[in-house]
Amino acid sequence: MSRAVQGRGCLPWACLGPYLRAASLPGAAGGSFHGKILSGASVSLPRSCVRHQGGPQGPPAQRGSSRHGLDHLRTVASSDAIKKHQKSLAAWFSNQPSEERQFGPSFSLDAVHVDPVIRESSLEQILKPSPELTIRHQLQRSSRRVISLQNLFEADACGRQVKNVVLYGTVGTGKSTLIKKMVVDWCHGLLPRFELVIPFSCEDLSHSRVPISLRRLVTKKYQHLRDVAPLLGASNLKVLFILNGLERLNLDFRLAGTELCCDPSEPIAPSAIVVNLLRKYLLPEASIIVTARPSAVRRIPGKYVGRYAEICGFSDTNLQKLYFQMRLTQPGCDGEGGEGSGEQENLVEMLWRNLERQNQIAAACFLPSYCWLVCTTLHFLYFTRTVPPSQTLTGIYTSFLRLNFSGEVLDSSEPTAVSMMKYVAKTVGKLAHEGVMSRQTCFSEEDLRQCFEVEMKTESELNLLEVFRSDVFPFFLTPCVQPGREHTFVFTIPAMQEYLAALYVVLGEKKTLAQKVGKELSELIGKVSEDAAVVLGIVSKVLPLRFLPVLFNLLKIFPRFFSRLSGKDRDTIARTMAEELFKEEDYYNDDVLDQINSSILGVEGPLRHPDEAPDDEVFELFPIFMGGLLSRRNRALLEQLGCSIKNLAALEIAEAMKKTVIRNSRKGLPPSELMDYLFFLHEFQNERFTAEAVRSLRTVNLSSVKLTPLKCSVLASVLGAACHEVDELNLTSCNLDAASLRTLFPVLLRCKVLHLQLNSLGPDACEELRALLLHAKCTVSDLRLSNNPVGVQGARHLAEALAGNRSLSRLSLLHAALGDRGAEEIARRLPENQQLQELNLGYNSLTDASALSVVEVAKKHATLDKVHLYFNDISEEGKRALHSLRMERDGVRALVFLTAGTDVSDYWSNILSTVQRNLPFWDRERVRQHLALLLQDLESSRRQTGNPWRKAKFLRVESEVKRMLAKLQNGTL
């Protein structure tokens, strides 16, 4: 497969499509060689196992060397210099960036690794544009030889020994990581071809302007080699020099630009050392491997290069599967330090099935760095038990870009030294923003030209665009794989479009023509007026021209006036964020975390027919990313990327947005939209803003939102910012368990009405509820646990809680699998309670003895006046005993029937509505039997009364029961 380095001018954007990509996770700040790390391609097996390589393994390197060289090697080895050097390099190059530890379990580079595919190339293939657009088609037709990392220096096709190797790839393809792996292998004795390896960072060398000799440069960077440096050039020591990031150096191979030098002790410029090493004029026997971006490959004349090799990523899908298998099933990946769980295996299986569907994420996973992003996002979604402030979704994406772009400039040969990420934010961000505003995810070549080329005016701008096309474009945009859209481009990961659109807006790049002209004019006038005022101020002391400085001072009014107008930009940003956050057309979509999960793992079910109309595109992450980018931590990371957002700007945006956001949040958002709002506040990371925002939330309804551990942590964190009382918290059907209740404990303490129905809460969860109800600060007055498998043990925990609780007035245990023993546990501890007013024990298979025992305790209770006992296994005799209860005499009312003597019960509608609401979760046959008994009781009571008004009421209730029975019979209820 060939890579085209674009020539000057506007070549078709389709030429960029076929580039194979394998992005890494470059590491530490500054883009330095020692900081680069490919988390995406650094998952591997122990050294005793076979190393997984994207191509066939070559024969082992020959160990032969001259006797003279061996003698020198023994001399050096006796001083332990090389061993110390190996130990130092192994420790340094095995370091992982903070993001590895922050967003999941960390993996040692020398313990786990999956190599991307490396294919041999040539300068002609690099410079030749490719007409193919689809990645997979290009892969299938690729005839270039796959070569392993260990065999890069084997003889070429003509039998000539290779001394200089250029390893190239687009931004983030894993160049630095492969080199790090190569160095670590040498440190562990797995690269016997070379007796000494000396790595250099070209970025580091580019900052040095003082002439220095090669030997001094080696000892300056690696002090352990001070005894070895004199041997350079004076022995047959087999040395490998590694030059990482050639694009950071401006090399001149002309004799007029860089003089010849063969003396390793001669002080010359660092760039001259590199040129003479590559010329083979300095240390001609040394081997050299250079890493570079495609645009920088031409800086080295072809006659000095023995082999070109391109990193092609995980073009073998088995490599992708191996990566995900290793990354997601490692011990500790689930956040609990245990062995791989069934959930982890299921996650890998779902991910693999989605990849096999040939959708867009499969194309993205050609890039190892995007594999890292996928795994990191899944770890965040599934295995985050608590959410520290540093862990946000925006933080993951910002860190991902920092790992790939930190310290990178687009073209070091340009005097402006434009930050690569700043350029991306202005160009790709503009495309992303226009797509979000028009709800568009596919972009034609014309769309690309409009965004990238329409404002190109100078030679410098065209040069930057050329470099961007060849080095950066494939990282963000990839050919669409959907049928019928093969000649369009989409963002590699859908969420990246929303992130870059948000970055484009918060950086203030979204400006009208008048704003752009006004800004440039104000800066120009301000600079000119200041200089002129100083000069004329001096002249006016000698000459009578005092009125001139006053005139020039008037020119300063324009910049000041414009600075006030610029504040309007921040109002616009705040207004855009608020409007996008509360779009009514997005109210009933899944929450954003579920949307991200679906975009990675797919949606189970039949595939959509190609002719079927697609769903409308949803961009609900866009405002959330806008808020997240304004957090202090993300702004610090963006500063390293050359994208500055000032503290004052972030403060003004927050203040401008506050009233609108709080007003909209009070409107009563649907559950999924409310979850998005809470997640936005978490991403925003502004405690004062969050406290004011959530203080207005007195009722929180999240029913039917699947509360994963992450969402529970977000809910606890956000609602904990204000520490205010919540009137009602509805967590019905939210997939809660005991761990969820532990996470939410501080929030639950401050809730008055707490809905926990339909959550499969068993005895373990009831133990957590016991701790909640016995807490001195508990304010829960109404607890609803209907349709949960509480059981006897759970009833025992709740009974203990009732005995010591001082806040609860209503407790619903409807359909909670209590049985007689569970009801007896409740009855036994109920006398110790002093506040309970209503107890619901309906549909719990209670018999006469347990039901009557509960009622007897209720009679003596000071406050309990209502007990629900309908749909239990109570005999006719028990029913008559309960029927005889009178509120004025016994102090308690038992709700068992729809009748009250010869009248209809005042609570008949409550009972029937409860049945209808819970029918989907109850045994329909059993419900039908109970309804039939209730109907018989209604008919019997109607016959006993002579009051026509009461008869009419009976007939009305009977018709309701008959209607429900008919729907049950037909299966329509």
Side-chain angles (χ1 to χ4, degrees):
M1 182 187 61
S2 65
R3 175 172 297 278
V5 179
Q6 304 289 340
R8 183 163 300 174
C10 301
L11 296 181
W13 287 92
C15 295
L16 300 172
Y19 295 159
L20 291 177
R21 302 154 341 251
S24 74
L25 246 316
S32 68
F33 173 49
H34 299 303
K36 295 277 186 175
I37 181 70
L38 169 59
S39 301
S42 62
V43 175
S44 63
L45 297 175
R47 291 190 168 276
S48 58
C49 301
V50 177
R51 184 177 180 186
H52 295 271
Q53 171 68 32
Q57 298 291 324
Q62 299 298 322
R63 296 170 177 259
S65 63
S66 69
R67 185 176 185 81
H68 181 65
L70 289 174
D71 290 340
H72 279 292
L73 182 59
R74 292 191 186 97
T75 302
V76 175
S78 64
S79 67
D80 292 332
I82 289 183
K83 289 183 179 179
K84 289 181 180 178
H85 180 58
Q86 287 177 325
K87 184 178 180 180
S88 175
L89 283 182
W92 180 249
F93 280 80
S94 296
N95 286 334
Q96 300 282 48
S98 60
E99 284 77 7
E100 269 299 309
R101 301 184 295 274
Q102 180 181 342
F103 300 115
S106 181
F107 302 100
S108 173
L109 184 65
D110 65 338
V112 180
H113 187 75
V114 176
D115 281 342
V117 173
I118 304 174
R119 294 187 181 273
E120 194 166 5
S121 184
S122 67
L123 186 60
E124 291 75 19
Q125 289 173 322
I126 295 171
L127 297 177
K128 179 183 177 182
S130 172
E132 298 295 342
L133 183 65
T134 59
I135 293 174
R136 292 190 178 276
H137 183 64
Q138 183 70 15
L139 283 173
Q140 293 167 0
R141 294 189 55 185
S142 178
S143 59
R144 290 185 293 162
R145 184 169 72 98
V146 175
I147 187 170
S148 67
L149 190 64
Q150 294 91 339
N151 298 331
L152 288 176
F153 289 95
E154 67 181 9
D156 62 14
C158 299
R160 292 172 297 194
Q161 185 63 40
V162 173
K163 287 293 184 180
N164 293 350
V165 174
V166 173
L167 183 66
Y168 70 94
T170 57
V171 170
T173 50
K175 304 179 293 294
S176 298
T177 302
L178 281 178
I179 295 305
K180 289 185 70 171
K181 187 64 172 66
M182 190 176 189
V183 172
V184 173
D185 281 349
W186 175 78
C187 292
H188 290 283
L190 299 181
L191 207 63
R193 180 192 293 269
F194 303 108
E195 297 163 347
L196 179 62
V197 172
I198 303 176
F200 286 121
S201 165
C202 291
E203 180 187 10
D204 183 31
L205 297 179
S206 69
H207 295 311
S208 178
R209 298 289 184 267
V210 180
I212 189 171
S213 70
L214 175 61
R215 288 174 178 164
R216 177 71 186 97
L217 181 63
V218 170
T219 56
K220 180 181 178 181
K221 303 300 179 184
Y222 303 102
Q223 188 178 3
H224 295 301
L225 297 180
R226 60 181 178 275
D227 296 329
V228 182
L231 300 177
L232 296 176
S235 69
N236 291 328
L237 193 65
K238 293 188 174 179
V239 182
L240 170 64
F241 287 98
I242 298 175
L243 303 171
N244 188 64
L246 182 72
E247 62 276 354
R248 305 305 292 266
L249 276 178
N250 294 320
L251 303 181
D252 189 349
F253 282 83
R254 298 172 303 158
L255 289 177
T258 304
E259 63 178 345
L260 297 174
C261 177
C262 63
D263 184 0
S265 299
E266 178 71 20
I268 55 178
S271 60
I273 293 177
V274 172
V275 168
N276 281 289
L277 283 172
L278 291 169
R279 284 172 173 168
K280 291 305 172 192
Y281 202 76
L282 180 63
L283 302 187
E285 295 304 317
S287 298
I288 301 173
I289 186 167
V290 176
T291 67
R293 302 201 304 252
S295 63
V297 171
R298 293 174 296 175
R299 297 185 185 182
I300 306 177
K303 62 183 179 180
Y304 298 130
V305 180
R307 172 170 285 121
Y308 292 95
E310 181 186 9
I311 303 175
C312 298
F314 292 160
S315 54
D316 183 352
T317 53
N318 288 322
L319 296 180
Q320 300 176 22
K321 187 172 184 179
L322 177 63
Y323 179 90
F324 291 126
Q325 183 74 28
M326 289 180 172
R327 185 84 192 195
L328 293 173
T329 59
Q330 286 289 316
C333 183
D334 59 358
E336 298 178 350
E339 296 296 326
S341 64
E343 183 181 12
Q344 293 168 268
E345 295 291 344
N346 291 337
L347 205 59
V348 173
E349 184 63 28
M350 291 173 65
L351 178 57
W352 185 237
R353 284 203 301 268
N354 197 31
L355 291 172
E356 288 179 330
R357 288 171 175 251
Q358 308 292 327
N359 67 3
Q360 202 63 50
I361 194 174
C365 289
F366 278 89
L367 295 151
S369 65
Y370 277 100
C371 291
W372 180 90
L373 181 60
V374 166
C375 289
T376 302
T377 305
L378 288 176
H379 185 275
F380 178 69
L381 293 176
Y382 281 87
F383 305 124
T384 302
R385 308 301 175 189
T386 58
V387 187
S390 59
Q391 286 199 15
T392 63
L393 186 66
T394 313
I396 289 176
Y397 277 77
T398 307
S399 297
F400 169 69
L401 294 175
R402 189 193 75 85
L403 288 169
N404 283 282
F405 292 94
S406 182
E408 295 280 356
V409 295
L410 194 59
D411 188 357
S412 60
S413 63
E414 288 289 335
T416 53
V418 177
S419 159
M420 187 177 288
M421 197 60 223
K422 180 71 172 179
Y423 188 90
V424 168
K426 293 178 67 174
T427 55
V428 186
K430 178 183 178 183
L431 180 72
H433 180 260
E434 291 181 357
V436 169
M437 292 296 100
S438 60
R439 293 188 172 252
Q440 175 185 358
T441 57
C442 293
F443 304 93
S444 65
E445 291 187 30
E446 182 60 29
D447 294 329
L448 300 181
R449 275 192 288 269
Q450 287 295 322
C451 263
F452 292 98
E453 299 176 5
V454 70
E455 296 182 4
M456 297 293 106
K457 299 175 182 177
T458 66
E459 184 73 10
S460 175
E461 290 175 334
L462 290 173
N463 289 338
L464 291 177
L465 180 60
E466 174 189 340
V467 174
F468 169 79
R469 282 172 164 171
S470 62
D471 295 352
V472 189
F473 179 86
F475 186 84
F476 292 103
L477 291 156
T478 183
C480 184
V481 300
Q482 295 180 18
R485 296 185 177 182
E486 292 85 354
H487 295 279
T488 61
F489 290 87
V490 296
F491 280 83
T492 312
I493 291 288
M496 185 60 73
Q497 178 179 353
E498 297 177 77
Y499 179 92
L500 292 177
L503 184 61
Y504 177 77
V505 173
V506 298
L507 287 177
E509 297 295 338
K510 181 188 174 185
K511 292 184 176 72
T512 63
L513 179 61
Q515 289 173 325
K516 293 178 181 178
V517 172
K519 182 179 180 181
E520 293 175 1
L521 188 59
S522 69
E523 291 175 354
L524 178 63
I525 293 176
K527 185 177 296 184
V528 171
S529 62
E530 288 177 5
D531 294 341
V534 171
V535 172
L536 291 176
I538 297 172
V539 175
S540 63
K541 294 180 180 179
V542 181
L543 300 175
L545 301 174
R546 296 184 182 275
F547 66 92
L548 289 179
V550 176
L551 181 63
F552 277 97
N553 281 332
L554 293 175
L555 294 175
K556 296 180 181 180
I557 295 177
F558 183 78
R560 292 171 185 170
F561 176 71
F562 182 81
S563 66
R564 292 182 182 179
L565 289 179
S566 65
K568 300 294 184 181
D569 292 345
R570 289 153 193 171
D571 292 340
T572 302
I573 294 173
R575 186 169 58 254
T576 300
M577 199 182 309
E579 289 174 354
E580 293 294 326
L581 187 62
F582 298 104
K583 271 193 172 181
E584 292 189 7
E585 56 263 38
D586 295 333
Y587 266 16
Y588 297 99
N589 298 323
D590 292 338
D591 64 78
V592 292
L593 293 175
D594 284 349
Q595 291 176 28
I596 295 173
N597 182 69
S598 298
S599 71
I600 296 175
L601 299 180
V603 179
E604 294 297 323
L607 292 174
R608 182 190 299 275
H609 191 275
D611 296 332
E612 185 179 348
D615 295 331
D616 291 337
E617 300 294 347
V618 177
F619 296 98
E620 293 184 89
L621 269 174
F622 170 54
I624 293 175
F625 277 142
M626 288 177 67
L629 287 170
L630 294 174
S631 71
R632 184 180 298 276
R633 182 179 181 277
N634 282 314
R635 284 189 283 116
L637 292 176
L638 289 172
E639 188 73 34
Q640 298 176 28
L641 292 168
C643 302
S644 178
I645 303 175
K646 302 301 182 184
N647 289 334
L648 181 60
L651 178 63
E652 290 177 349
I653 292 171
E655 288 298 322
M657 182 178 58
K658 186 181 300 181
K659 290 182 179 180
T660 305
V661 166
I662 293 177
R663 182 175 65 251
N664 284 313
S665 67
R666 290 173 178 168
K667 294 180 179 178
L669 301 173
S672 61
E673 194 69 15
L674 179 58
M675 187 69 238
D676 289 346
Y677 175 58
L678 296 174
F679 188 61
F680 165 81
L681 294 175
H682 167 71
E683 293 284 312
F684 198 31
Q685 293 289 299
N686 185 323
E687 291 186 7
R688 181 180 298 177
F689 182 96
T690 301
E692 292 186 40
V694 300
R695 201 170 285 123
S696 63
L697 292 177
R698 310 301 297 186
T699 299
V700 179
N701 180 12
L702 295 174
S703 60
S704 300
V705 173
K706 184 179 180 181
L707 288 182
T708 61
L710 170 63
K711 293 178 190 177
C712 288
S713 297
V714 168
L715 178 60
S717 173
V718 172
L719 292 185
C723 296
H724 68 297
E725 284 193 358
V726 178
D727 293 338
E728 185 174 1
L729 177 60
N730 190 343
L731 301 180
T732 300
S733 190
C734 289
N735 292 86
L736 299 178
D737 56 16
S740 305
L741 296 181
R742 278 194 296 272
T743 303
L744 294 171
F745 192 90
V747 175
L748 302 183
L749 279 176
R750 297 181 279 109
C751 296
K752 294 180 179 179
V753 179
L754 183 56
H755 297 262
L756 296 176
Q757 304 96 303
L758 295 164
N759 277 297
S760 301
L761 300 177
D764 291 344
C766 291
E767 191 171 359
E768 299 298 325
L769 290 174
R770 178 186 63 183
L772 172 72
L773 293 173
L774 292 177
H775 197 281
K777 295 183 179 180
C778 178
T779 61
V780 178
S781 61
D782 188 347
L783 177 60
R784 304 182 187 183
L785 287 169
S786 305
N787 300 300
N788 283 294
V790 172
V792 177
Q793 185 60 40
R796 186 173 296 118
H797 292 317
L798 293 175
E800 294 174 9
L802 280 175
N805 178 264
R806 296 293 179 267
S807 63
L808 198 62
S809 60
R810 295 184 62 190
L811 174 62
S812 175
L813 292 171
L814 175 70
H815 193 222
L818 299 183
D820 287 338
R821 291 178 56 196
E824 289 168 1
E825 290 289 343
I826 298 290
R828 184 169 59 86
R829 304 300 298 268
L830 194 55
E832 301 174 50
N833 179 275
Q834 301 299 320
Q835 282 78 33
L836 196 64
Q837 299 175 11
E838 184 175 348
L839 177 63
N840 191 335
L841 299 179
Y843 203 161
N844 275 293
S845 302
L846 305 188
T847 60
D848 294 3
S850 57
L852 291 172
S853 66
V854 171
V855 171
E856 287 301 320
V857 172
K859 286 181 179 180
K860 303 172 184 177
H861 197 281
T863 58
L864 185 58
D865 60 5
K866 193 181 300 178
V867 179
H868 299 251
L869 293 171
Y870 40 83
F871 278 36
N872 281 301
D873 301 332
I874 302 174
S875 67
E876 290 299 324
E877 184 179 349
K879 290 178 181 178
R880 284 194 295 271
L882 294 172
H883 217 308
S884 64
L885 289 173
R886 293 292 180 271
M887 182 65 190
E888 60 277 5
R889 182 188 66 203
D890 302 307
V892 64
R893 178 180 289 107
L895 305 183
V896 187
F897 316 98
L898 300 180
T899 60
T902 57
D903 198 357
V904 175
S905 170
D906 293 337
Y907 302 97
W908 71 269
S909 60
N910 293 340
I911 296 175
L912 289 183
S913 64
T914 300
V915 173
Q916 187 162 358
R917 187 169 57 250
N918 291 279
L919 191 57
F921 321 105
W922 290 359
D923 183 342
R924 288 176 174 254
E925 179 58 28
R926 187 172 178 183
V927 171
R928 189 191 65 77
Q929 294 174 4
H930 279 286
L931 286 176
L933 291 175
L934 290 177
L935 183 59
Q936 291 176 12
D937 182 63
L938 284 168
E939 292 172 345
S940 175
S941 297
R942 175 169 54 83
R943 286 192 293 268
Q944 294 176 18
T945 183
N947 189 316
W949 173 248
R950 289 181 179 178
K951 283 182 180 289
K953 289 172 62 178
F954 275 116
L955 288 172
R956 179 190 172 190
V957 178
E958 287 175 32
S959 66
E960 288 292 328
V961 175
K962 289 177 180 177
R963 185 177 58 82
M964 291 180 67
L965 281 169
K967 287 187 176 183
L968 269 176
Q969 189 72 24
N970 298 330
T972 58
L973 186 61

